[in-house]
Amino acid sequence: MNEYINLTLENIEEEHICCAIGDPKHQIGVTEKKAWIKSKLKDGHVFRKLDARGKVFIEYEPIETAWVPLSGKNYQYIYCLWVAGSFKGKGIAKELLTYAINDAKEKGMNGICTITTKKKKPFLGEKNFFLHYHFEAVDEIGDYQLLALPFNNQETPKFNSCAKEMKIEEKEFTIYYTPECPYVEYEVKELSDYAKNHNIPLNIIKVDSLEKAKNAPCILNSWANFYQGKFLSNTILNANSFEKLVEKLK
């Protein structure tokens, strides 16, 4: 039987958070992520992971306080559900999702939801997995879909109007990011240094509050790329991928 751990203020310093395990360059990001989780626990934030050394977890909280440009009433929002490596194919993803669904029901919530895409993109959930468990598309912006599993006939959640813009005024390459992913802090510094050394205009905006997240100008879980005022992708970039993308955009 699989054993799981929910992070709390009492155990978070001793427990790993699955991503970036043992990678020294990402430890600043891990520290930032843990600080963010600590600040969110009072909101009902849940980070549940397999009691093992691996990238296996689900993370969710009430939509009202979730750092995403969504509106809804009494829904849980799933930030991430990840089962990687040798842990795949063992029913763990089902167990994690079932726990989140039952948790939402026990709390008297109206349903549970998550953001995915019509065609698989990195750093977002697998659409077909959620559809298998009777989630349904309730809103969309281009390729991105908001999937929900309603428990009753109450109104389903939706993307905020600001997110549907998918554009900004700034014309230079612009990145929005949040502390939700431990990989981003290192990549932000790497990209900042690269852009400075190559005289590439780069605007980096840290989304560091609930208000900023709710008013984001695009789909935003942890990262968003813009160029010439238009949304490009939610893919987290490193210096190499940034260089290739900048060349492609010329």
Side-chain angles (χ1 to χ4, degrees):
M1 182 175 179
N2 293 312
E3 297 292 332
Y4 297 92
I5 295 172
N6 285 16
L7 294 185
T8 66
L9 290 176
E10 288 71 33
N11 67 15
I12 192 170
E13 293 305 327
E14 288 72 40
E15 296 292 338
H16 69 75
I17 55 171
C18 301
C19 304
I21 298 175
D23 190 337
K25 71 180 182 182
H26 289 301
Q27 292 315 297
I28 292 177
V30 169
T31 299
E32 289 284 323
K33 168 75 172 185
K34 284 190 173 183
W36 183 73
I37 292 175
K38 288 179 184 178
S39 74
K40 301 292 285 163
L41 288 174
K42 68 182 185 302
D43 297 324
H45 190 94
V46 175
F47 189 106
R48 182 174 178 81
K49 69 189 187 76
L50 187 68
D51 187 12
R53 189 171 178 78
K55 298 175 181 178
V56 184
F57 69 98
I58 190 169
E59 186 172 15
Y60 60 90
E61 75 172 274
I63 195 170
E64 291 87 347
T65 56
W67 282 27
V68 282
L70 297 175
S71 293
K73 184 177 181 181
N74 209 28
Y75 262 73
Q76 291 280 36
Y77 171 73
I78 300 173
Y79 287 97
C80 190
L81 170 56
W82 194 6
V83 177
S86 62
F87 297 99
K88 288 183 177 181
K90 298 180 179 180
I92 295 174
K94 177 183 178 180
E95 290 180 354
L96 289 170
L97 180 60
T98 299
Y99 176 90
I101 292 171
N102 290 338
D103 187 29
K105 288 180 176 179
E106 289 172 5
K107 291 172 179 174
M109 306 193 85
N110 295 330
I112 190 166
C113 64
T114 193
I115 295 174
T116 185
T117 53
K118 296 176 184 177
K119 295 182 179 180
K120 179 65 178 145
K121 286 184 170 59
F123 307 105
L124 287 171
E126 176 60 56
K127 175 184 176 180
N128 289 335
F129 172 79
F130 290 100
L131 293 181
H132 179 74
Y133 292 100
H134 309 296
F135 281 67
E136 58 189 43
V138 295
D139 201 2
E140 65 179 52
I141 303 175
D143 235 9
Y144 294 85
Q145 290 186 315
L146 176 59
L147 300 186
L149 177 64
F151 302 151
N152 51 42
N153 294 323
Q154 297 297 315
E155 185 177 357
T156 53
K158 60 184 179 181
F159 289 112
N160 291 341
S161 57
C162 57
K164 295 186 176 182
E165 295 287 328
M166 301 293 273
K167 60 183 180 180
I168 58 176
E169 293 184 1
E170 293 85 354
K171 299 303 180 184
E172 67 268 26
F173 201 105
T174 300
I175 295 170
Y176 284 74
Y177 78 100
T178 77
E180 199 274 322
C181 177
Y183 291 111
V184 299
E185 293 293 340
Y186 178 85
E187 302 306 348
V188 163
K189 184 179 186 310
E190 184 179 63
L191 293 183
S192 297
D193 292 344
Y194 178 88
K196 181 179 180 180
N197 293 335
H198 292 79
N199 296 313
I200 299 173
L202 177 62
N203 186 27
I204 298 179
I205 299 172
K206 185 172 185 177
V207 178
D208 55 6
S209 71
L210 176 62
E211 181 181 7
K212 289 180 182 179
K214 290 297 186 189
N215 289 286
C218 63
I219 303 296
L220 180 65
N221 215 22
S222 58
W223 188 285
N225 301 303
F226 285 86
Y227 183 66
Q228 292 295 315
K230 297 180 180 180
F231 176 82
L232 297 177
S233 73
N234 67 295
T235 302
I236 298 174
L237 302 174
N238 57 27
N240 184 52
S241 57
F242 177 65
E243 179 183 32
K244 291 179 180 178
L245 182 56
V246 169
E247 286 298 316
K248 183 178 179 180
L249 293 168
K250 286 182 179 179

